[in-house]
Amino acid sequence: MELGKIKQLLDAYFEGNTSLADEKILKDYFNNETVAEELLQYQPIFMGLKAAKAEQSTRVFSLGEPETKTIKGWWYSVAAALVVAFGIGTLYFTQPQYTQEEKEALAAFEKSKEAMLLLSENLNKGAERLTFVEQFETSKDKVFE
């Protein structure tokens, strides 16, 4: 194979831009006896890849017995249901229970609060108009002096 194409494939290989077919061409080239002298430095890489591919482990792995998760799943479901029931019960029992008199007092308070807000808005409008009166007086005093 021509040397220029091999160099081009090597550059693409180190950039991560080669296809599997291109990598096979490079592996075949570097695992041959005839490698160009200027590319001999890359030969150990491809020979190491070939040796790594041929390695096999002789160790025996035991994964153990899988635990049944149905019991754990059942307990999780019961625990979740208890937490939800506890939350709903707490929310229900912590709500204040008002008597009829307290409810009427709260309604009266809300009405008086609305009346105060309306009064406040009207006073603010009146205060804005007073600034126009003050400006009128200062400009009148300048004219009549």
Side-chain angles (χ1 to χ4, degrees):
M1 178 163 282
E2 66 183 61
L3 188 61
K5 184 174 180 181
I6 295 295
K7 285 183 179 180
Q8 193 177 26
L9 284 175
L10 264 177
D11 290 337
Y13 179 78
F14 288 122
E15 292 293 322
N17 298 327
T18 55
S19 66
L20 292 176
D22 295 338
E23 290 178 18
K24 183 173 179 359
I25 292 170
L26 284 173
K27 287 177 188 175
D28 291 343
Y29 177 77
F30 282 105
N31 288 324
N32 270 339
E33 300 292 325
T34 57
V35 176
E37 188 154 330
E38 59 194 65
L39 299 177
L40 278 176
Q41 61 186 352
Y42 301 112
Q43 191 173 17
I45 294 171
F46 291 97
M47 293 180 93
L49 288 174
K50 181 180 180 182
K53 186 177 180 181
E55 284 183 7
Q56 290 185 352
S57 176
T58 57
R59 183 175 174 189
V60 177
F61 295 96
S62 64
L63 298 177
E65 293 295 318
E67 292 183 25
T68 57
K69 295 189 178 192
T70 56
I71 294 175
K72 281 186 180 180
W74 184 76
W75 281 108
Y76 289 146
S77 300
V78 169
L82 288 174
V83 168
V84 169
F86 181 74
I88 291 173
T90 303
L91 181 66
Y92 178 72
F93 288 116
T94 59
Q95 293 294 322
Q97 302 296 327
Y98 295 119
T99 63
Q100 185 63 28
E101 187 178 307
E102 290 172 328
K103 289 178 184 176
E104 289 173 3
L106 282 173
F109 172 73
E110 290 297 325
K111 285 185 180 180
S112 60
K113 188 166 73 170
E114 288 176 17
M116 291 292 178
L117 286 174
L118 182 62
L119 179 65
S120 173
E121 288 175 7
N122 288 331
L123 283 175
N124 286 338
K125 287 179 186 175
E128 290 174 3
R129 291 188 180 150
L130 282 178
T131 58
F132 293 127
V133 171
E134 289 175 10
Q135 289 176 357
F136 176 73
E137 285 184 19
T138 55
S139 59
K140 179 188 78 159
D141 289 340
K142 289 181 184 177
V143 169
F144 288 121
E145 283 184 1

